[in-house]
Amino acid sequence: IAPVTALHWHGPVPKGVPGWGLENAPFDAERRAFHVRALLGEITVSVQAPGYAHFSKTLQVGPGDNDYTLRLPKACGVRVVLREGAVVVPIDTYGAFTLEAIGHDGKMGVRSKSWCEVSAPGRYRFTLRDLPGYRSVPPREIEIGRGEMQEVAIELTRQ
């Protein structure tokens, strides 16, 4: 069972409406389930869990209790580690690198201080922007497998 950190949902969005509000679903620890109270019809749920790709699905709500089990796809992407010798350099890499798909249409997705998901497995060009106080790092090609968080270890050299 994935360690789900959040489940959000919303009802149908009428045509022409530019936005809507997401509702948070409370977690019932005893039943190990999230609970949603919604009107009959369609709802869209979005789920977040560490190590899993962002997941969204439209469900049909009928009368009474409705139980759904959602199977989350494993995330694929990169975990970036910057080193200077044996020391890990504590630089926030959010926005410090790009991943460009090679031969497919994968895109960068959800990211944090040290990792980034991609929308599809495959070959990518990893480019690290210049970091103050360090020499430029040449771009490199990496292969990201399905359901795999590929570690990209970068050796930094002071200027």
Side-chain angles (χ1 to χ4, degrees):
I1 294 177
V4 174
T5 56
L7 186 138
H8 306 288
W9 67 278
H10 65 83
V13 179
K15 208 171 203 158
V17 173
W20 66 92
L22 288 175
E23 300 291 335
N24 292 318
F27 183 71
D28 179 338
E30 186 177 307
R31 290 190 59 208
R32 297 180 49 113
F34 287 89
H35 288 268
V36 172
R37 289 187 61 108
L39 297 174
L40 298 178
E42 282 188 353
I43 64 168
T44 300
V45 296
S46 297
V47 181
Q48 295 172 319
Y52 292 84
H54 179 77
F55 180 80
S56 187
K57 184 173 182 149
T58 299
L59 304 172
Q60 193 66 35
V61 177
D65 290 342
N66 293 247
D67 289 332
Y68 289 98
T69 300
L70 304 174
R71 304 221 180 273
L72 307 181
K74 290 284 232 172
C76 62
V78 295
R79 243 184 341 270
V80 180
V81 178
L82 304 176
R83 299 184 195 282
E84 189 175 357
V87 176
V88 173
V89 179
I91 295 175
D92 181 349
T93 61
Y94 185 89
F97 64 90
T98 58
L99 292 166
E100 179 186 350
I102 299 171
H104 60 93
D105 61 355
K107 304 265 186 265
M108 291 176 70
V110 176
R111 53 187 112 162
S112 78
K113 293 180 178 183
S114 63
W115 56 266
C116 177
E117 291 180 7
V118 292
S119 62
R123 196 144 194 78
Y124 287 83
R125 180 171 294 104
F126 175 92
T127 305
L128 182 69
R129 71 170 164 74
D130 288 343
L131 300 173
Y134 294 96
R135 291 188 181 153
S136 294
V137 174
R140 63 175 71 173
E141 291 187 10
I142 59 172
E143 185 72 30
I144 300 173
R146 182 172 308 287
E148 173 185 286
M149 291 301 280
Q150 175 72 37
E151 182 171 292
V152 177
I154 305 290
E155 182 62 37
L156 296 175
T157 306
R158 292 211 181 255
Q159 289 182 328

